[in-house]
Amino acid sequence: MIKPESASEAKGPCAAMASAENSPGNYFVFGFPLSGAAWQRYGVRDVLPDHIPTDPDLLSWEIRSLAENINESSWRQSSGDAAIPAEVLLALRTLNQALRHVAGNYFRVENTGCLNRCLTWSQERLGAKNTSQLMHTFGELFPPLAVALAELDLDVFLADESDRTILEMILLFINVTNPAAGPAIPLFDDSELRQQSSFTAFVTGLEEHLESTEPAGTEGQTIFHLLRAPALASPDSLEGQLGYIKDNWGHLLPADLLRRLVFAIDVLKEVDLTRSAEYGPPPVLEFGPGSPGWQADEPEPEAFSRDADWMANVVLMAKSVYVWLDQISRNSGQKVHRLDQIPDAELDRLAAWGINGLWLIGLWQRADASRKIKQQMGNPEAAASAYALHDYRIADDLGGEAAWQNLSDRAGQRGIRLASDMVPNHMGLDSRWVVDHPEYFLQLEHSPYPSHKFDGPDLCDEPQVSVRIEDGYRDHSDAAVVFQRVDHNTGQVRYIYHGNDGTSMPWNDTAQLNFLLPEVREAVTRVILDVARRFPIIRFDAAMTLAKKHYQRLWFPAPGDAGAIPTRAEHGLDKPAFDEVFPTEFWRDVVDRVAAEVPDTLLLAEAFWLMEGYFVRTLGMHRVYNSAFMNMLRDQKNSEYRDIIKETLAFDPGILQRFVNFMNNPDEKTAVEQFGRSDKYFGCALLLVTLPGLPM
C-alpha cells in the first residue's frame, strides 16, 4: 500500500524518486523517455507531489496520475489519440528498466570505456561541434530529472554525464522504433530532435560502428541487436516483450527487477481480462492428483463432518421472502408483510409436499445504500439487495426477531426447519461495521485512480460518516473498485474496496472484508455462530471466495497469479507471506467451532470453481452446491454429467451424497425458463429427488 508521508517526512519529488527511478544510469523521471514538451503538455510536475513516495514495486500514484493527465488533456482529445492506460506506462517503465540494466551492464561491465569511445567516434565522425549540439539539444528536448526540476543546469549535467546521455539516446531510439510502444509515442516523440540535430545519423552510424569495432556481449549479440530482441520477439505486445525478457534474460537481471517484470505482466492482465457477469458452464469435476486445482504440496485429507440423523433427509425449498409474502397476499386477498402473518395453511401445504427445510432468502436487515444506488440508477421501485446487509438482525419490516421466532416455532411444529443465508465475504457499504469498524475492510488511504471523483450524494444516514460511490457508476461511464468513506469526527478518508469475485464488475453496494486480519475472521465467525443459534440450516453465499487459494488469488495475488481484480497486483503477497497472516482455512475453523458450540447445525456452501469436493471432504461442510446438475442437464450434456457421477464415485462416494442438486438458484433464471414445462422438466425433477444428495 502506498502510504502518504507526513509533512515533516516529505523530501521533495526529486529525493522521493531517487530510490525508484534515479538510480545510477537512470535519466528520466518515469524510467521511460519523456520529452520536455510532454512535461509541460501533461503537467508532469503536478503529478510529483511531495507527500507521495514512489515505490518501484508498485503501480505508483505518479504513474496513474500521469496517465490521467494525458488522457484528460485537451491535447490528446484534440489529436484524437487513444487513451493510454496507466498499466501500459508501468509496462514501458519496467521494459526500460530492463533494457537500461542490460545496456548498462554491457557498456560499464562487459565493455568498459565503450561509451567514451562512442563519444570519441561521434566527434570524429560528426564533428565535435555537431556532437556537442546533439547532446545539448537532446538534453533540452529530453531533460534529465534534475534539469527538468530546475535543480541542475544542463551544461553542468552534460559536463559530467555525457556517457549517460549517449546511453539514453540509444534507449530513446529503441523505444520510438518499438511498435508496441506506439500508443505512448506522444510522450517521447523524437521528430523535433531529428529536425534540430543529427540524431538519426548519430544512432544509425553508432550501430554500424559498434557492430564493426566493438565486441559482442556475453549473449553473443551486439548491443543494438540485444536491445531489439524483445520487440522483435513480440512486436505488438508489451506483455509479450516483458515475458520474453523474463524467460530469456533472467540470468542478466537482478531478482528485484525480475519481480517487477512479473508484477508488470500481472497488472497488464488486470487490464486485459475479459469479465463476464456469469460463471459459465462448469467443467467436468475431477479429483485427486492431476485434476484441475490439485496442489501436491497442499494435501486434501478426508475430514468429513458427521451428519446428524435428520440431515440426510432434508428437502429444501428456497423462497425469496418478499416475493413469497407478495404471492401470499395476492392469493389470500389479505395483506401479508410480516413473517408472523404467514398463514398456517402455507406451512401445512409445504409440509404436505414433503418439504422439511425452508430457506428464506432476504431475512436480514439490508443496507439502505443498496436501495438508493439502484434507484439512482433509474429503478425507482428497486429494493436493496438481499446480499448487501446492514446487520445480522431480522429485517424490521418483516417484523423483526419476534416475528421470526413466531414463524420458526410454527414451522418447527410441522417438522420444517428454517434456513438462512450468511454472506461472509462482504457487508453493505453503509453497514454497521462500515460505520463502527472501518478497519475491518480492504482499503487504501487514497483512490487507486487519481481521476475518480466521489462527489455524489451521501449514501449513509449516520451523521458522523459519509459514504459515496464513484461518480462514473451513475452515468455508466466507469466502474470503480472502491468507494469513499469519510469520518466527520476525525476527518479521516478511506477508500474501501467493493466486494468482487473476479468474474464480473464489482458489487457496487458492498464493502469487502479483509480476512488477513484475525479480528475479522473472529468477528465473522461469531456472526456465524449467532446465526446458527437461530437457524439449524445455514447457506453460505459464494463460500469459495474465502478458500485460502482463492482469497489470495483475488485480493493478494502471488507474483504471476494476478489479473482477477484491478489494482490488486500491487498488493500481492507470495505464498509464505500470505500463509503467515492467513495460516489455516477459515472454513475448517468455522466448521469446527460450530460443531463444538452449536452442534446439530447443517452447513451448506455455495462453492464453485472445482472446489465442491474440497468443501465437503476436507473443509467439512455438510453440503455443497452441485451447479453441474442444473447447467449440464439444462444443456442436455447427459454423458458429461454421467462422467461427474462416475468420477465422484471412483474418488470418494461420500462426496456424492453431500451434493445439493437444484434446477434453479436465486440469481439464475427460473426452472421453467431453463427446462421448459414438459417432459424435460419432469425428467430432471425426477432425477433431483432420486439422486443421492440434498434436493433443493
Side-chain angles (χ1 to χ4, degrees):
M1 181 183 298
I2 305 173
K3 296 182 177 179
E5 296 176 302
S6 67
S8 62
E9 294 173 325
K11 301 177 179 66
C14 188
M17 299 297 291
S19 64
E21 300 293 357
N22 202 28
S23 57
N26 205 345
Y27 186 95
F28 294 109
V29 61
F30 291 107
F32 53 78
L34 188 66
S35 69
W39 264 83
Q40 301 301 319
R41 186 183 303 148
Y42 302 123
V44 172
R45 182 61 183 85
D46 296 335
V47 302
L48 299 176
D50 293 346
H51 64 288
I52 302 286
T54 298
D55 186 330
D57 291 325
L58 298 183
L59 180 54
S60 65
W61 180 274
E62 290 89 347
I63 288 283
R64 288 201 187 278
S65 296
L66 177 64
E68 301 294 357
N69 279 17
I70 293 170
N71 296 331
E72 294 178 0
S73 69
S74 57
W75 175 278
R76 186 194 69 81
Q77 293 171 8
S78 63
S79 69
D81 293 337
I84 306 176
E87 293 79 3
V88 169
L89 298 186
L90 174 75
L92 276 174
R93 180 175 78 172
T94 310
L95 174 66
N96 275 272
Q97 287 172 338
L99 295 174
R100 186 173 289 106
H101 181 88
V102 169
N105 187 68
Y106 172 79
F107 285 119
R108 295 190 174 92
V109 179
E110 297 179 14
N111 200 9
T112 305
C114 182
L115 286 173
N116 287 329
R117 292 193 294 274
C118 290
L119 177 61
T120 301
W121 165 85
S122 179
Q123 292 169 338
E124 294 174 352
R125 173 74 176 270
L126 303 177
K129 183 177 181 180
N130 282 341
T131 299
S132 177
Q133 180 196 14
L134 167 63
M135 298 183 71
H136 200 277
T137 303
F138 178 79
E140 288 182 333
L141 297 179
F142 291 87
L145 175 60
V147 174
L149 292 173
E151 297 176 351
L152 190 65
D153 182 77
L154 176 59
D155 290 330
V156 175
F157 179 87
L158 291 175
D160 296 330
E161 303 288 354
S162 58
D163 57 343
R164 288 179 62 188
T165 304
I166 291 174
L167 175 57
E168 295 304 329
M169 285 193 286
I170 294 172
L171 292 176
L172 172 64
F173 183 72
I174 296 297
N175 275 275
V176 296
T177 56
N178 181 353
I185 286 296
L187 297 177
F188 44 82
D189 181 13
D190 68 343
S191 56
E192 189 173 357
L193 178 64
R194 292 172 184 265
Q195 293 171 5
Q196 295 186 21
S197 69
S198 51
F199 176 65
T200 303
F202 171 78
V203 291
T204 56
L206 181 61
E207 181 172 5
E208 295 175 0
H209 168 71
L210 290 172
E211 287 186 357
S212 61
T213 63
E214 297 290 341
T218 56
E219 300 306 297
Q221 295 177 289
T222 62
I223 187 61
F224 270 83
H225 286 175
L226 185 62
L227 296 178
R228 283 198 186 101
L232 291 173
S234 184
D236 299 320
S237 170
L238 290 172
E239 182 181 341
Q241 292 177 25
L242 294 175
Y244 173 88
I245 292 172
K246 178 174 69 72
D247 295 338
N248 294 277
W249 292 3
H251 59 293
L252 300 177
L253 304 178
D256 65 327
L257 187 46
L258 281 172
R259 188 172 63 249
R260 294 183 210 172
L261 280 168
V262 174
F263 168 65
I265 293 170
D266 287 344
V267 169
L268 287 172
K269 290 177 181 176
E270 290 180 346
V271 177
D272 295 336
L273 183 68
T274 300
R275 300 177 192 281
S276 168
E278 300 181 359
Y279 291 105
V284 174
L285 281 174
E286 298 178 30
F287 301 95
S291 64
W294 176 267
Q295 295 174 280
D297 61 337
E298 293 185 3
E300 300 181 1
E302 179 179 314
F304 288 111
S305 291
R306 185 183 65 83
D307 271 7
D309 292 341
W310 62 270
M311 294 179 181
N313 299 312
V314 171
V315 178
L316 190 63
M317 172 67 78
K319 291 284 190 181
S320 180
V321 65
Y322 289 99
V323 174
W324 190 33
L325 294 179
D326 181 68
Q327 291 171 339
I328 294 172
S329 298
R330 287 189 281 110
N331 293 336
S332 67
Q334 297 181 344
K335 182 62 178 176
V336 175
H337 58 87
R338 296 199 317 265
L339 299 179
D340 55 354
Q341 294 173 335
I342 293 174
D344 285 345
E346 284 292 317
L347 300 177
D348 291 337
R349 185 159 63 100
L350 292 175
W353 288 348
I355 303 297
N356 54 20
L358 179 57
W359 168 24
L360 296 177
I361 303 166
L363 281 175
W364 304 114
Q365 186 70 28
R366 305 184 189 192
D368 197 45
S370 176
R371 176 189 60 81
K372 293 177 181 177
I373 292 171
K374 292 182 179 183
Q375 292 180 353
Q376 290 172 13
M377 298 296 286
N379 185 356
E381 298 181 355
S385 168
Y387 298 94
L389 299 180
H390 178 269
D391 198 5
Y392 280 93
R393 70 173 194 271
I394 303 301
D396 297 337
D397 59 358
L398 293 177
E401 301 292 325
W404 155 77
Q405 187 66 63
N406 174 278
L407 176 64
S408 179
D409 291 343
R410 289 188 292 126
Q413 293 168 4
R414 292 160 174 81
I416 299 174
R417 290 175 168 87
L418 296 188
S420 170
D421 270 308
M422 197 279 159
V423 187
N425 51 66
H426 57 69
M427 294 291 290
L429 55 79
D430 63 335
S431 65
R432 180 174 60 85
W433 280 5
V434 168
V435 173
D436 296 339
H437 292 286
E439 71 278 6
Y440 282 3
F441 298 89
L442 278 171
Q443 60 195 270
L444 303 173
E445 295 175 357
H446 56 82
S447 170
Y449 296 101
S451 67
H452 282 183
K453 307 299 181 187
F454 300 85
D455 298 326
D458 182 8
L459 298 169
C460 184
D461 294 330
E462 295 291 337
Q464 72 270 28
V465 172
S466 289
V467 166
R468 290 178 172 87
I469 61 171
E470 203 275 324
D471 293 357
Y473 263 131
R474 287 185 301 281
D475 60 16
H476 303 280
S477 65
D478 210 339
V481 295
V482 299
F483 65 93
Q484 183 193 72
R485 179 197 184 275
V486 179
D487 189 317
H488 296 297
N489 292 327
T490 65
Q492 184 176 24
V493 181
R494 304 172 191 252
Y495 294 88
I496 297 175
Y497 277 86
H498 293 297
N500 196 326
D501 67 354
T503 64
S504 61
M505 303 308 290
W507 301 317
N508 67 323
D509 54 0
T510 66
Q512 177 64 46
L513 288 160
N514 184 359
F515 275 76
L516 262 57
L517 302 178
E519 60 267 31
V520 170
R521 298 195 295 269
E522 175 61 25
V524 174
T525 301
R526 288 199 302 269
V527 170
I528 292 170
L529 292 170
D530 183 59
V531 173
R533 293 183 180 100
R534 289 181 281 176
F535 292 91
I537 303 172
I538 306 177
R539 180 257 190 193
F540 294 111
D541 183 70
M544 68 285 180
T545 61
L546 294 184
K548 280 185 60 177
K549 73 174 183 178
H550 286 302
Y551 192 79
Q552 180 178 15
R553 176 181 65 85
L554 292 170
W555 296 109
F556 299 92
D561 195 30
I565 297 175
T567 77
R568 290 311 303 178
E570 56 204 272
H571 306 286
L573 298 171
D574 61 26
K575 192 172 186 305
F578 180 81
D579 287 342
E580 183 176 353
V581 290
F582 200 155
T584 59
E585 287 282 10
F586 170 73
W587 287 124
R588 186 68 246 185
D589 294 341
V590 165
V591 167
D592 293 340
R593 286 277 295 275
V594 172
E597 299 183 35
V598 197
D600 211 32
T601 304
L602 188 153
L603 305 179
L604 189 162
E606 181 192 32
F608 308 116
W609 304 345
L610 301 175
M611 297 287 285
E612 291 89 335
Y614 183 65
F615 261 83
V616 293
R617 186 174 184 271
T618 300
L619 298 185
M621 290 286 178
H622 296 95
R623 300 292 182 271
V624 67
Y625 266 40
N626 178 24
S627 60
F629 182 95
M630 177 184 71
N631 286 298
M632 289 184 174
L633 297 183
R634 176 197 62 208
D635 299 336
Q636 298 179 202
K637 296 181 177 180
N638 300 342
S639 62
E640 291 184 36
Y641 192 69
R642 275 199 306 274
D643 289 342
I644 285 181
I645 295 177
K646 290 161 63 177
E647 284 278 347
T648 307
L649 288 172
F651 180 68
D652 194 326
I655 295 174
L656 192 65
Q657 67 189 28
R658 294 174 182 262
F659 280 155
V660 176
N661 302 314
F662 53 92
M663 294 171 63
N664 77 299
N665 198 35
D667 54 358
E668 307 281 354
K669 294 179 180 179
T670 66
V672 168
E673 289 179 280
Q674 297 192 82
F675 292 88
R677 296 177 177 272
S678 58
D679 293 348
K680 181 177 178 179
Y681 182 101
F682 289 102
C684 292
L686 183 61
L687 281 175
L688 182 75
V689 298
T690 55
L691 279 174
L694 188 158
M696 182 173 71

